[in-house]
Amino acid sequence: MSLHSLRGFRDLLPPDSALFTSIEAAAREVFALYGYQELRVPTIELKELFVKATGDTTDIVEKEMYAFTDGGGREVAVRPEGTPGVVRAYIENNLGQTGRNGKYFYIGNMFRAERPQAGRYREFEQIGAEQIGNASPYADAETITMLVRLLEKAGVSGCSVVLNSLGCGECRKAYRETLLNYLRLNTATLCEPCKGRIERNPMRALDCKIDGPVLAEKAPRLSLCPACAGHFSRTQELLNISGVEYQVNTSLVRGLDYYTSTVFEVRSSALGSQDAVCGGGRYDDLVKSMGGPAAAAIGWAVGVDRMAMLLKDKPAAENAPKTFIVAAAKEAGTKAFALLTAMRAAGISSDFSNFELSLKSQMRSADKSGAAFALIIGEDELKAGTVAVKLLKEKGEQLSVAIADAPSEISKRLSA
Ligand code: ATP
Ligand code: MG
């Protein structure tokens, strides 16, 4: 039997791995700009956390969780999303009492046992932001603006922001009945899973991949109470002020239970059928319902794999070494190794193949490496205490510099 990776799990090879790193770096820069701090939460938590937070009628919990009983008999699950862990950490560590701004970001792998296809994996990476403790529309507009700036900073273009409001518990109480009545009259048009769950969670049908598109056209619409309507229109005003383009779409219902009020998605038509790049929204009741203080909150998560797909055709960051060190004689190995160390200590990325191989073989590796210079030490150089500097990418004369001067000499040439 040959060992292979599991279906839906994959290796990220260079240069794709560098693409992911550059997206993460862009995100960290933007988070710093907006006053967000990193929160690292565990990959495995009690299963109950996700059932309670994400919701027991959601696809994630019903069908997609990697859950198992651990050696101690505990029901645990590998995280399918970031928000439940962040909220648990917020409550468990009394983060609401630190007097800080309640803005957190995370970068990490998530796991969902769904059917693998382009842009849909069983292990994937999310970058997420959560702001806990700010109920005002300023927080909504700030977090959506930050999201758009993050996509821009990472180089992703051509995305659209879709916005809706799901109202508060009060708006939804009345709507739940209206919608349920409508769905009961139209059960024939529902898929099997929806038939079974409309009584528990009628809004789920609107987000169902099968029923949703049909229902979205005909189902009765939610009407917002004055407070929720005011919050939603103020959010839009503020987004206009920060220059963020968006479209309001009243059929946008997010697939997780905890959302209230503002919800949004970022989509890109360049992605084909898996077109969602980011999902997010307010979850004003979640912290309290998980046993914490009453704390309104808003957050989002972008899919890094899908961002990377959108960046695929952009030139990758240059990560070739600047110099490649070659020992042209067996006795030169020690000096070559010391030079390699000195170059790196001077902050000049440098590489080598194997000082015990032939000059020809080392020069072949030097050419392949993409380095700008080969630094060669042979018998003559050993005697003279010098190193031969050869331009690799373009033709030029080889010059000789004192070995001790090599780092500063190369630095000068690189910056010229
Ligand atoms: P979808 O509608 O594509 O199933 P979702 O609503 O399940 O998305 P969220 O839970 O909101 O997605 O997660 C936020 C983002 O994480 C998505 O917009 C997407 O970019 C990414 N994502 C979600 N599931 C996967 C997956 N299985 N593989 C790769 N990326 C994913
Ligand atoms: Mg999904």
Side-chain angles (χ1 to χ4, degrees):
M1 186 195 82
S2 69
L3 294 173
H4 54 80
S5 61
L6 294 169
R7 201 164 111 83
F9 292 76
R10 72 210 160 114
D11 303 308
L12 271 182
L13 306 176
D16 287 352
S17 49
L19 199 53
F20 276 61
T21 309
S22 78
I23 293 171
E24 292 160 9
R28 286 179 188 281
E29 244 181 81
V30 173
F31 285 134
L33 219 45
Y34 282 77
Y36 275 69
Q37 289 188 295
E38 185 171 16
L39 196 55
R40 297 192 183 210
V41 295
T43 310
I44 297 181
E45 300 255 12
L46 285 174
K47 179 182 171 187
E48 193 191 348
L49 171 69
F50 302 108
V51 176
K52 261 191 169 164
T54 310
D56 60 358
T57 58
T58 59
D59 281 352
I60 291 179
V61 167
E62 277 192 330
K63 300 190 291 213
E64 300 171 0
M65 254 202 315
Y66 283 95
F68 58 96
T69 312
D70 76 359
R74 283 168 292 260
E75 294 287 321
V76 299
V78 190
R79 63 181 181 198
E81 59 143 342
T83 305
V86 170
V87 168
R88 182 207 39 73
Y90 179 87
I91 298 169
E92 190 172 335
N93 299 287
N94 292 315
L95 295 183
Q97 263 142 60
T98 58
R100 294 200 49 100
N101 62 12
K103 295 178 184 178
Y104 304 100
F105 77 87
Y106 59 84
I107 298 178
N109 292 11
M110 306 296 157
F111 302 81
R112 296 182 193 176
E114 34 189 348
R115 194 167 72 78
Q117 48 197 295
R120 194 178 291 292
Y121 310 100
R122 291 180 168 175
E123 176 178 16
F124 59 98
E125 182 175 320
Q126 283 188 340
I127 297 176
E130 315 286 358
Q131 179 172 6
I132 306 178
N134 186 342
S136 80
Y138 293 104
D140 303 44
E142 182 197 36
T143 202
I144 296 170
T145 305
M146 175 171 74
L147 166 61
V148 170
R149 298 292 174 256
L150 188 156
L151 292 168
E152 285 168 2
K153 184 93 202 168
V156 172
S157 54
C159 289
S160 53
V161 178
V162 186
L163 199 64
N164 191 21
S165 173
L166 301 179
C168 60
E170 284 308 304
C171 315
R172 283 223 293 258
K173 210 185 281 168
Y175 179 60
R176 194 180 181 283
E177 285 314 308
T178 317
L179 180 62
L180 190 53
N181 286 334
Y182 174 83
L183 295 174
R184 280 177 184 145
L185 290 174
N186 292 279
T187 39
T189 65
L190 299 178
C191 70
E192 284 310 311
C194 279
K195 277 179 194 162
R197 66 189 165 198
I198 54 166
E199 299 292 328
R200 283 182 296 154
N201 191 340
M203 279 177 73
R204 176 72 53 246
L206 298 179
D207 189 53
C208 173
K209 295 236 159 41
I210 304 159
D211 311 327
V214 182
L215 291 172
E217 278 174 31
K218 300 191 185 135
R221 289 277 191 273
L222 178 107
S223 60
L224 298 174
C225 71
C228 287
H231 183 103
F232 193 43
S233 66
R234 181 69 178 141
T235 297
Q236 292 174 58
E237 270 171 35
L238 295 168
L239 283 174
N240 295 339
I241 286 170
S242 56
V244 167
E245 283 178 35
Y246 58 87
Q247 290 138 19
V248 173
N249 182 340
T250 53
S251 60
L252 174 70
V253 198
R254 298 277 309 137
L256 312 178
D257 268 8
Y258 48 66
Y259 287 120
T260 51
S261 181
T262 311
V263 288
F264 48 93
E265 249 175 40
V266 175
R267 297 174 185 160
S268 166
S269 53
L271 283 176
S273 54
Q274 263 57 254
D275 67 346
V277 179
C278 179
R282 271 206 166 272
Y283 50 95
D284 288 344
D285 305 327
L286 183 64
V287 180
K288 183 140 194 263
S289 77
M290 300 296 292
I298 185 165
W300 48 256
V302 277
V304 181
D305 304 75
R306 292 187 194 172
M307 282 177 78
M309 286 168 78
L310 293 169
L311 292 172
K312 205 73 189 175
D313 300 328
K314 303 250 164 97
E318 178 69 80
N319 58 2
K322 297 285 189 276
T323 75
F324 201 93
I325 319 291
V326 172
K330 261 232 148 64
E331 318 77 73
T334 308
K335 275 268 179 314
F337 191 69
L339 175 62
L340 176 68
T341 312
M343 294 303 287
R344 288 171 173 167
I348 303 166
S349 63
S350 301
D351 206 357
F352 75 119
S353 62
N354 178 347
F355 296 138
E356 292 173 358
L357 295 178
S358 70
L359 172 63
K360 202 169 157 196
S361 153
Q362 290 183 58
M363 287 308 295
R364 218 172 14 235
S365 301
D367 280 326
K368 268 217 176 116
S369 75
F373 299 98
L375 305 188
I376 307 161
I377 306 181
E379 275 173 25
D380 293 348
E381 286 78 18
L382 266 185
K383 275 185 214 138
T386 57
V387 53
V389 178
K390 186 178 191 306
L391 264 179
L392 285 172
K393 287 185 186 161
E394 49 209 282
K395 286 230 159 21
E397 62 183 298
Q398 192 164 305
L399 62 133
S400 173
V401 301
I403 225 173
D405 298 340
S408 60
E409 191 60 35
I410 295 293
S411 284
K412 234 185 282 163
R413 282 169 190 272
L414 285 170
S415 53

